[in-house]
Amino acid sequence: AIYVISNDDLRRWGVTTIPDALRRVPGLQVARIDANKWAITSRGFNSRFANKLLVMIDGRTVYTPLFAGVYWDMQDVMLEDVDRIEIIRGPGGTLWGANAVNGVINIITKPSSDTQGNLVAGAIGNEINGISAARHGGTLDNGASYRLYARYSSYDNGYSPDSSHDDWHIGQTGFRADWGQDSRDAFTLQGDFYQGESGEQVSIPTGTAGPPPTMIRTRDDDTDLEGGNLLFRWSHQLGDNSDFALQAYFDYVDREEVVLNEDRNTLDVDFQHHFRLQNRHDILWGAGYRYIEDDTRNNPTFSLQPDNRDFQLVSAFIQDAIDLNDGVQLTIGSKFEHNDFPGFEYQTSARIAWAADNGQTLWSAVSRAVRTPSRGEHDVRLRLVPDPAMDPGIPVYAVGDDDYDSEEMIAYELGYRLNYHNNWSVDLATFYNRYDDLRTLDISSAGPTGVLLPFDNRMDGDTWGIELAGQWQVRPGWRINGSYTYLNMSLDLDSSSTDTQSQGAGDASPSHQASLWSAYNIGGDWEFDTALRYVGDIEVSGTDIDDYIELDLRLGWKPGPGVELSIVGQNLLDSRHGEFQPDFIATQPTEVERSIFLRGIWKF
């Protein structure tokens, strides 16, 4: 089940961040916690620390092993340079490995040959303090193409009836060079560096013991963000039906906030070989190695033992797409991994698809995927803010456990696609997922110094759902798209479990979501885009969040060659609405406010 967001979609949707771009994708749950934090997942289990969705940028993983999630405020990609965003719902572990359990998002930027010349862009509005971007692309005497870019983004606070401190800003610069594309060898070298600051209000429990309620101190904090990466890719054509690719990258992350502090270095090398055998087998195999070292700074609320650690991941995979008769293709594959936490893991899948001549495709799949333990689930000691109704009056800690195992899932999928002469299309995907050994927090001890809740695997569950997307080309210059998602989750604790919170993960993703949007060329140089979104009600950490409907509008004008001006309105039906609540780290949520901004792009 795949969905692709094109560069033109990003432009006409009027979005300024990757999370906002993902809101219209069927099967994804996207919710904003405050102005710089998001909860994003696929097919359920949503959380700020959503751990079953793998996110990559040009094949570079941005999934942090500290807590098995994504820092979305550190992914300020220059959207004008994005070629497409590929979203795969369902397991992708056979190709991408552990943690690609419920889905994969791959953000793919344009080759530098497609970004020649100069570009200047900017935006300003009531919720956007200012966005500015500049890019220059050129070609060297040896035929190599390149681009250089810089982007700065600054966003205002969200709404809180008391106060808010969640404004944020980030600056990013980078380059990309491509050469050799006209020969058997093609090379890419690219890199980015960013610095920024994200505000938050954090509630921290203080004191050691006493009668309930536990003393809570709330303070303003500014999280310092810094990081960079360097990636090299070599593709070589061995023959008409054979090629290989070698990719290596280094990624550096430094995040300093009042609770979570992390320095992390990652070195990753990946090799893939593709060839056809006997005109029926399309075989892809490869191997990879990843080395990660981190250094954290412990504090009374959050600590890791040891506070610095290095670990390795070694993997190999093979996949064979077999052409059967009458447009039927069978794809089978397995991936094998070994890392320092659970040890050896394997993931397998079998998919069959029938592509008829009349634009119809019917497909089905069975897959096994795993979510490996994070560094925190083995080594953390995190003091929690207790639920007032269950406050024991002594410190409560979530603690890591060396015996914590991987979570496992068996997924069954069935899908149907129809493309009718490119005038209209329908894409339907259904799924049933069975999970074992899901994460729980069970009491191991309680004494005068505190209650210890080690991570354990005492919950199972199943989810099933329907994802529907459609497109209608009403006439040249007018396109209407729509989507609908239904999700049902059922989680069951083992009889031995004392966990009182983890089962609530089944209520944190809406059962119903729908969207409808229109892209209309008025005539001449004017464009008019409208979008309606519906998100059902949820419950997060014991807090009910109402369903909502929102409207986005965009009016665009191209007054001359290379110039585009637009006015965008987002979340226009309400002055504000809430979308999610924090978990584990007790930051203060804020509500999403109505946003209106002006945007301009000049290419020359």
Side-chain angles (χ1 to χ4, degrees), residues 115 119 179 211 246 338 511 565:
T115 54
L119 178 145
W179 65 96
L246 177 67
H338 185 277
S511 296
L565 303 174

Side-chain angles (χ1 to χ4, degrees), residues 15 246 267 355 406 526 544 578 580 591:
V15 296
L246 177 67
L267 175 66
S406 297
W526 292 86
D544 292 326
F580 213 76
E591 297 185 21

Side-chain angles (χ1 to χ4, degrees), residues 115-121 134-138 148 562 601-604:
T115 54
Q116 297 293 285
N118 301 300
L119 178 145
V120 176
R135 179 240 289 155
H136 168 71
L148 308 170
I601 300 175
W602 180 28
K603 298 178 182 180
F604 58 97

Side-chain angles (χ1 to χ4, degrees), residues 201-411:
Q201 289 183 312
V202 189
S203 295
I204 300 173
T206 62
T208 55
T214 297
M215 293 178 58
I216 305 295
R217 178 169 62 96
T218 300
R219 56 169 289 184
D220 293 347
D221 177 53
D222 292 309
T223 301
D224 293 324
L225 316 173
E226 183 177 296
N229 60 81
L230 185 67
L231 181 146
F232 173 76
R233 185 183 303 110
W234 170 33
S235 301
H236 177 70
Q237 192 75 30
L238 293 168
D240 293 338
N241 296 310
S242 179
D243 58 82
F244 72 76
L246 177 67
Q247 175 182 283
Y249 70 80
F250 173 78
D251 187 272
Y252 156 70
V253 171
D254 181 8
R255 186 180 183 95
E256 298 186 16
E257 56 182 292
V258 67
V259 176
L260 291 175
N261 291 278
E262 177 187 11
D263 285 339
R264 184 176 72 254
N265 297 315
T266 302
L267 175 66
D268 185 278
V269 181
D270 182 79
F271 172 82
Q272 295 187 10
H273 179 212
H274 162 255
F275 64 96
R276 287 194 64 87
L277 182 65
Q278 299 177 346
N279 294 323
R280 295 187 63 184
H281 298 268
D282 197 290
I283 298 174
L284 181 66
W285 71 275
Y289 171 78
R290 183 176 301 163
Y291 173 80
I292 302 172
E293 63 176 15
D294 65 32
D295 185 11
T296 62
R297 287 162 296 285
N298 293 337
N299 57 68
T301 303
F302 171 87
S303 63
L304 293 171
Q305 294 297 332
D307 59 0
N308 60 81
R309 186 167 183 172
D310 58 80
F311 42 99
Q312 303 176 73
L313 172 68
V314 181
S315 64
F317 79 93
I318 185 167
Q319 176 177 282
D320 186 7
I322 307 167
D323 292 328
L324 304 177
N325 297 325
D326 300 323
V328 178
Q329 185 178 76
L330 172 66
T331 302
I332 54 176
S334 292
K335 183 148 191 170
F336 311 94
E337 292 186 340
H338 185 277
N339 63 48
D340 291 349
F341 291 136
F344 176 78
E345 292 288 356
Y346 72 94
Q347 300 179 86
T348 59
S349 70
R351 299 176 179 270
I352 190 166
W354 172 48
D357 294 335
N358 56 2
Q360 299 183 79
T361 302
L362 182 66
W363 61 273
S364 182
V366 179
S367 309
R368 179 185 187 270
V370 298
R371 202 275 295 178
T372 57
S374 67
R375 163 98 145 96
E377 286 161 334
H378 268 244
D379 302 332
V380 77
R381 184 182 178 92
L382 173 65
R383 185 168 181 183
L384 304 175
V385 175
D387 184 334
M390 306 179 67
D391 190 346
I394 55 177
V396 179
Y397 296 95
V399 295
D401 191 331
D402 288 341
D403 293 328
Y404 183 77
D405 294 325
S406 297
E407 300 178 347
E408 301 179 6
M409 181 189 73
I410 303 295

